[in-house]
Amino acid sequence: MDIFKLVKKSLGADAFSIGKSACGNDILCVHRGSMRGNQIIITAAIHARECYTALVVLEQSRAFDKATAVGGVYFVPLVNPDGALFFDSGETFGRAFLREHAHEREMWKANADGVDLNCNFDANFGTGAQNKFVRGASDYVGEYPFCAPETRALAAFTSRVSPSMTVSYHCMGGELYWEFFQSGAARERDRKIADAVAAHIGVKRVDGDLCSAGGYKDWCVQKFGIPAVTVELIRGGNHPFYADAYAADIAANARLPEYILEILRELDQKK
C-alpha cells in the first residue's frame, strides 16, 4: 500500500497543503464541518513507522457528520510523508543518508533528515528522557526547535487555526497522554476531557508521565493553554505495524471528532 497516494486520493478535491516536507511532499489537510465555533486539529503519522495511523484519521474525515457536529475539524493524516514513504516502500529520495539507514526503515520514526518531528517543537526542547542529539532513526531533537520543515508547517498552521483542542495519533500501547505541566483550572479541565476521550475510545488515561519534551501535544498545551492529547493506538505487539493492525482502532475512533466537539460545546455553555 502506498500510504501517501491513499491519503491524497481519500482526502479528495477538498484537500489542501499546510506546507512541504523536507523532500518537497505536501502535508495534506482537509476540513470538515463548520468554520464557526470550536475547531479541532487531528494529526497522525508524525512518526514514519506509525504511518498507518493515518487510516484512523481518514475514516474520521469520511464519517464526519456535519449535521450533528457543532464546530469543525482539520484532519492532517500524514504529518511526515517522507518518513512514511521510506517506511512503506524504502523510498530514499536520492538521499545518501536514507540509503545508509535502509536496514532501519521498518523501525524508522524520523523525517528524511533524521529529525524526530515529535521532539522538534519548542516545548522544553531537548530535555526529554529519551532525547538524542545525533540524527538517526528516532529521538533526535534536531539542531534547534522547528528546524524541520514539517514542524514549522504544522506549528504555523496551528497558530493560524487557533484550535480549541488537538488530538495526535501514535502507536502503540492503548494509552492516552494529556499532561504537560498544566495547573489549576486548566489542569482539571484537561484531565476531565482526557478521561472522557479515553473512555470513549477504550484506552487508558496515563497520569504523571512528564518525561517527554518537544512534542506537538506538549507545545499545544504550553503555547496555547488548550487541551491536547496523544493517543497511542494498538494495545500491544512489536513494530512494524501495517494496515490490518489498525482495524479495531479505526472503528473505535471513527466518531471521536463529533464527541469532542460536543464536550467543548458543553464547556462553553458552563462559562
Side-chain angles (χ1 to χ4, degrees):
M1 181 187 296
D2 186 324
I3 190 64
F4 183 73
K5 286 183 178 178
L6 177 64
V7 166
K8 189 173 183 179
K9 179 180 178 181
S10 298
L11 293 183
D14 294 336
F16 59 94
S17 177
I18 68 168
K20 298 285 188 179
S21 68
C23 295
N25 287 303
D26 285 314
I27 303 168
L28 295 171
C29 178
V30 71
H31 183 268
R32 298 283 186 254
S34 173
M35 298 300 294
R36 300 178 63 183
N38 290 304
Q39 302 296 310
I40 308 167
I41 296 177
I42 301 182
T43 69
I46 200 168
H47 286 148
R49 72 185 187 186
E50 300 164 19
C51 63
Y52 286 99
T53 56
L55 299 177
V56 174
V57 179
L58 292 177
E59 177 60 18
Q60 290 175 335
S61 70
R62 185 199 66 78
F64 188 81
D65 186 355
K66 64 180 181 180
T68 61
V70 181
V73 185
Y74 290 92
F75 298 98
V76 188
L78 201 63
V79 176
N80 184 4
D82 301 348
L85 286 165
F86 180 56
F87 168 84
D88 205 28
S89 65
E91 174 61 59
T92 63
F93 306 97
R95 295 187 172 214
F97 170 71
L98 289 179
R99 288 197 299 270
E100 291 167 2
H101 289 270
H103 62 288
E104 295 182 88
R105 76 174 182 85
E106 289 192 323
M107 298 302 290
W108 199 259
K109 295 174 70 176
N111 74 347
D113 290 328
V115 176
D116 188 323
L117 300 177
N118 209 44
C119 301
N120 190 235
F121 289 84
D122 190 12
N124 296 12
F125 177 79
T127 65
Q130 297 182 351
N131 285 173
K132 297 177 182 176
F133 301 93
V134 177
R135 67 177 183 157
S138 67
D139 302 312
Y140 171 51
V141 300
E143 293 184 16
Y144 51 86
F146 304 122
C147 68
E150 297 90 347
T151 55
R152 289 198 301 273
L154 183 54
F157 177 68
T158 304
S159 296
R160 290 197 303 271
V161 169
S162 189
S164 300
M165 181 170 171
T166 66
V167 178
S168 304
Y169 283 108
H170 292 246
C171 78
M172 66 177 186
E175 298 172 329
L176 181 145
Y177 294 85
W178 62 281
E179 290 181 274
F180 199 69
F181 304 100
Q182 303 100 312
S183 62
R187 176 181 172 79
E188 182 62 15
R189 175 202 63 192
D190 293 0
R191 184 192 61 78
K192 288 180 178 179
I193 292 174
D195 194 40
V197 171
H200 183 79
I201 61 177
V203 299
K204 177 185 177 182
R205 190 193 79 208
V206 176
D207 298 337
D209 190 322
L210 295 170
C211 62
S212 69
Y216 180 58
K217 177 265 291 179
D218 307 333
W219 180 72
C220 288
V221 170
Q222 190 175 82
K223 173 76 172 178
F224 302 105
I226 60 173
V229 298
T230 293
V231 178
E232 297 281 354
L233 303 173
I234 302 179
R235 291 184 178 277
N238 297 293
H239 287 285
F241 296 107
Y242 292 93
D244 290 349
Y246 291 95
D249 289 306
I250 291 170
N253 286 266
R255 304 307 295 270
L256 181 61
E258 294 95 323
Y259 181 69
I260 290 175
L261 286 172
E262 180 59 24
I263 291 174
L264 296 174
R265 184 187 68 83
E266 291 176 357
L267 286 174
D268 287 343
Q269 290 178 339
K270 293 178 181 178
K271 290 180 180 178

